[in-house]
Amino acid sequence: MDPDAREIPVKVHLHYMIGNHDWYYHLPGTEFDNIRAEIVDAFGLSNSPKPFPHELKESAELLALLSRYEVYARHGDIYDSFNYSKEKGRNASSLGDAFAVEILNRFPVEVQRRLGVELPPGIVGSLRELVNVRPTLATPLWISSQLRQNNIPLAIQKKIKDLWDEMSKEFLKLEFVQAGNIPFKLDAVNGLEMVIRLTDRVSFKTIDSLVVWIRKKFGSDEITFAHHALKEEAFLNHKAQYIVYGHTHHHEVVPLDSFPGALRPTNQMYINSGTWHTYYDLAINKPEEQKFIPYQVLTYVSFYKDNERQGRRFETWSGSFSD
């Protein structure tokens, strides 16, 4: 090591904003304050133990900080009706929560419990990746692809399909799920029900077109949320040069608008912060063939002001790799 080299400590302030997976940290109450206090201590956060913000306006400190960098940020879950209810707000769970808990997390556990001795090594591990499948409503296709790739006998495939159907019917009967079923309106509950009921009558292979239709209809797992940025107040009043979302797990940089004639040129951009975990993405070519491609993704997004980065305003670094 260079004898002249030395580490220079940099003071970092970490702020926690919640989204759909951790919405309960937004709930008020002493009991939740105690939980948040432990999180603040463990992560070294700058948050108080009061409800973590979901909107920037809920944290004066964070709003002021991002305003200095002309950044407006939100998780982006409010634009996904599968994972956010406009009627209930962010202090309530969503259909996506119920689907993850009751189906995606439970299914591999039940397969292991009921059929474990009949299955080859690795298949249950593959089914545990259901939570990383994109789009979420393509999970039946993922199951079908794993059964085929592992050469599972047809008799056992039927048992697994029957288990999926059984759990799905139980899920649809839950009071919480039915509460979101709006009479005389095609909603996300109807979409889920169509996928599940279709698997009752036919094989997993036939649902590919329905999954694609539901994906477009209900906006869940939508690849880009860039057009939502055009409606943000911070974009419309030009106070934000950068609109930043997460949620979709899909990193992108999209030009929104430009004002070259202003005293200080403004180029407004939409940036998605991407993800830091494994993707199992459904190939867009012939989705009926149930081809999923796994890869790892890692994205960083940074913003600067004045001369913090030799005049640069922002940087994004995104990398993907696969075994």
Side-chain angles (χ1 to χ4, degrees), residues 108-124 152-153 156 159-160:
V109 175
E110 289 298 313
V111 169
Q112 174 71 57
R113 186 174 70 86
R114 301 191 196 187
L115 305 170
V117 295
E118 303 179 62
L119 299 174
I123 183 64
V124 174
I152 304 299
I156 299 178
K159 291 182 180 179
I160 292 176

Side-chain angles (χ1 to χ4, degrees), residues 97-321:
D97 291 323
F99 189 65
V101 172
E102 296 293 336
I103 300 293
L104 300 184
N105 292 331
R106 243 188 88 204
F107 184 68
V109 175
E110 289 298 313
V111 169
Q112 174 71 57
R113 186 174 70 86
R114 301 191 196 187
L115 305 170
V117 295
E118 303 179 62
L119 299 174
I123 183 64
V124 174
S126 295
L127 294 178
R128 289 196 179 103
E129 297 293 344
L130 282 172
V131 294
N132 293 323
V133 171
R134 295 293 181 273
T136 301
L137 295 179
T139 48
L141 292 179
W142 168 260
I143 297 169
S144 178
S145 71
Q146 295 309 297
L147 297 179
R148 186 183 69 253
Q149 292 174 19
N150 286 275
N151 297 314
I152 304 299
L154 291 178
I156 299 178
Q157 286 194 37
K158 184 179 186 306
K159 291 182 180 179
I160 292 176
K161 178 179 179 295
D162 289 344
L163 176 57
W164 171 270
D165 291 342
E166 174 190 330
M167 291 179 58
S168 298
K169 289 176 183 177
E170 291 175 357
F171 170 74
L172 288 172
K173 291 179 181 178
L174 291 175
E175 182 179 348
F176 176 85
V177 175
Q178 284 303 310
N181 196 355
I182 304 172
F184 311 113
K185 182 179 180 181
L186 190 59
D187 53 33
V189 176
N190 300 132
L192 274 176
E193 192 169 6
M194 283 187 286
V195 170
I196 292 168
R197 285 186 175 177
L198 192 58
T199 61
D200 284 341
R201 301 191 296 271
V202 296
S203 69
F204 282 115
K205 290 184 179 180
T206 63
I207 71 169
D208 61 288
S209 58
L210 184 61
V211 167
V212 172
W213 178 80
I214 290 173
R215 181 178 184 174
K216 292 179 179 178
K217 175 67 179 177
F218 300 113
S220 57
D221 298 305
E222 188 175 295
I223 292 299
T224 181
F225 278 3
H227 60 283
H228 294 299
L230 298 174
K231 301 175 184 178
E232 297 285 3
E233 183 179 352
F235 168 80
L236 295 172
N237 62 22
H238 302 165
K239 288 186 176 180
Q241 192 163 348
Y242 308 101
I243 309 293
V244 183
Y245 298 161
H247 189 66
T248 66
H249 297 188
H250 178 71
H251 168 62
E252 57 183 336
V253 179
V254 179
L256 297 176
D257 205 350
S258 179
F259 303 92
L263 293 177
R264 185 175 63 79
T266 298
N267 299 310
Q268 291 181 291
M269 310 281 288
Y270 163 75
I271 300 175
N272 191 285
S273 59
T275 189
W276 279 23
H277 68 66
T278 304
Y279 244 40
Y280 289 84
D281 219 350
L282 177 64
I284 63 173
N285 184 42
K286 299 179 180 179
E288 69 274 8
E289 294 184 3
Q290 305 152 5
K291 298 175 182 177
F292 287 83
I293 300 175
Y295 54 97
Q296 301 277 343
V297 182
L298 181 67
T299 299
Y300 289 89
V301 180
S302 300
F303 298 94
Y304 311 101
K305 66 181 181 69
D306 304 328
N307 200 37
E308 289 179 338
R309 187 67 166 165
Q310 299 177 332
R312 297 179 189 173
R313 297 302 310 277
F314 79 96
E315 293 178 342
T316 69
W317 298 85
S318 186
S320 303
F321 65 90

Side-chain angles (χ1 to χ4, degrees), residues 65-71 242 303-305 308 313:
L65 172 63
L66 292 185
S67 295
R68 291 200 294 273
Y69 288 81
E70 297 180 287
V71 173
Y242 308 101
F303 298 94
Y304 311 101
K305 66 181 181 69
E308 289 179 338
R313 297 302 310 277

